[in-house]
Amino acid sequence: MSPTPNVGDQIRKRAEQIAQRQAGTSAKAPAKPGHRKPATRTKPVRCTVDLPPVLFRQLSDWQSQAAEQLGESRITKQQILVALVHELLGDTDLEEAVLDRLNAE
């Protein structure tokens, strides 16, 4: 029996497949008349998160402290979430910690 790949490996493999497919489509022959290639989305995608009240207050407190440490009047939750996503996608240790937490919930 072969070991089951972890979720992180599956995500990375899928991302590589998509990137290869997208790279291959640009080298293909032109589309048939009447068939248009779908437009690439350039607008940001809205993402809504529902947090328990206690977690929301903790995030708001952290947000205020972070703004003070950075010498800013404020930072937005959007800025925090974008930074977190970048960190998550670039740090395998953080990825494993998040997967462990998701598995425990």
Side-chain angles (χ1 to χ4, degrees), residues 18-82:
I18 291 169
Q20 289 172 352
R21 189 177 325 130
Q22 289 174 342
T25 58
S26 62
K28 289 185 181 177
K32 296 177 185 175
H35 289 24
R36 291 188 344 195
K37 184 175 161 184
T40 303
R41 183 180 178 102
T42 56
K43 285 178 60 175
V45 178
R46 181 164 300 280
C47 180
T48 303
V49 179
D50 294 324
L51 297 173
V54 171
L55 194 55
F56 178 81
R57 282 191 298 275
Q58 290 171 336
L59 176 59
S60 295
D61 290 345
W62 185 90
Q63 179 181 1
S64 295
Q65 292 170 5
E68 188 173 317
Q69 284 181 351
L70 295 172
E72 299 288 335
S73 58
R74 71 182 189 109
I75 58 172
T76 65
K77 287 179 180 63
Q78 177 176 329
Q79 288 173 296
I80 295 168
L81 291 175
V82 169

